[in-house]
Amino acid sequence: MSTHIRGGEPRARDGRSDEDREPQSGPQSIPRAVLLTGFLITALGGLTGIAAVVSALTGLAGGGEDQQGAAPPSPATTTGTAMVRIQYPQQAAPVRHHQKVYGVAVIPPHHSLWLASHKKGESALYLLGRAHIVKQGTGRTDPSSWDACPQIGDFPAQRGASFEIVAALVPDDVSDYLLGATTYTGGKLVPAKAGADVAGLVSDRLPPGTDTAHQTSVWVTLDRGGENCATG
């Protein structure tokens, strides 16, 4: 099967054949929808992944924003302005199955703060959802306060296991895309509340465009069931 997209034009205007031209590569040649589609397929796999991608892409169809040349945000986009910090739980702390997590952050425009979880010794990364902004800050000297109550691991099967809780900045369009993605039965891939059927979207990487230069994390130990998500 031919690998050429177009036929009938063996040479371009500059006189070079297709084989002589340098291939176009890099983020600017990959539409955002393609990156997100690949992310969801990697995360879910098989027919479930394909069905979820079709459902998620419905909201993008006809939008006209994901054209070739629209490069995904890179970590450099937020350099010098972003900051993310987890204040609770602290390093090596015992946590419950549904664990309150909070901290402070300087969140650049067009970004949202997300949490993910990673079990020690495993490559799977669980996207746990978007953090809630408790108090909107105005900058580095007045950061925003945030909190969340994600599900950590599988209790009691993983009691005593160590988990890394990751907080990272994700572009708003990617965030909205993930929050709207569903399985073929209509279930949310990222749950809106603790105890939802889907505990988190699983992948081997953070979402496209994540600001990995400013992410932070803390290691905790799953100790008890239940939850400690009360406010105040």
Side-chain angles (χ1 to χ4, degrees), residues 52-66 176-177 180-181:
V53 170
V54 171
S55 177
L57 282 175
T58 302
L60 292 179
E65 296 180 0
D66 290 306
D176 293 342
Y177 181 97

Side-chain angles (χ1 to χ4, degrees), residues 30-34 36 57 60-61 63-70 173 177:
I30 307 174
R32 173 62 58 79
V34 174
L36 288 166
L57 282 175
L60 292 179
E65 296 180 0
D66 290 306
Q67 301 298 322
Q68 185 168 336
D173 57 345
Y177 181 97

Side-chain angles (χ1 to χ4, degrees), residues 131-156:
H132 168 247
I133 302 302
V134 179
K135 173 184 173 295
Q136 187 69 54
T138 58
R140 186 167 290 274
T141 58
D142 180 30
S144 299
S145 300
W146 60 268
D147 67 10
C149 191
Q151 177 176 308
I152 307 298
D154 182 14
F155 189 87

Side-chain angles (χ1 to χ4, degrees), residues 175-200:
S175 175
D176 293 342
Y177 181 97
L178 293 172
L179 289 174
T182 64
T183 65
Y184 67 94
T185 59
K188 292 288 187 180
L189 291 177
V190 181
K193 60 182 179 180
D197 291 338
V198 181

Side-chain angles (χ1 to χ4, degrees), residues 92-187:
V95 299
R96 294 193 177 188
H97 191 206
H98 292 102
Q99 174 64 44
K100 184 171 184 178
V101 182
Y102 63 78
V104 294
V106 176
I107 304 175
H110 312 300
H111 285 75
S112 299
L113 182 63
W114 275 66
L115 296 184
S117 177
H118 165 73
K119 183 177 180 292
K120 187 175 183 179
E122 294 184 358
S123 60
L125 188 71
Y126 290 77
L127 286 182
L128 302 176
R130 187 169 56 187
H132 168 247
I133 302 302
V134 179
K135 173 184 173 295
Q136 187 69 54
T138 58
R140 186 167 290 274
T141 58
D142 180 30
S144 299
S145 300
W146 60 268
D147 67 10
C149 191
Q151 177 176 308
I152 307 298
D154 182 14
F155 189 87
Q158 295 178 325
R159 182 173 187 175
S162 295
F163 290 86
E164 183 183 24
I165 301 175
V166 180
L169 298 166
V170 175
D172 278 343
D173 57 345
V174 178
S175 175
D176 293 342
Y177 181 97
L178 293 172
L179 289 174
T182 64
T183 65
Y184 67 94
T185 59

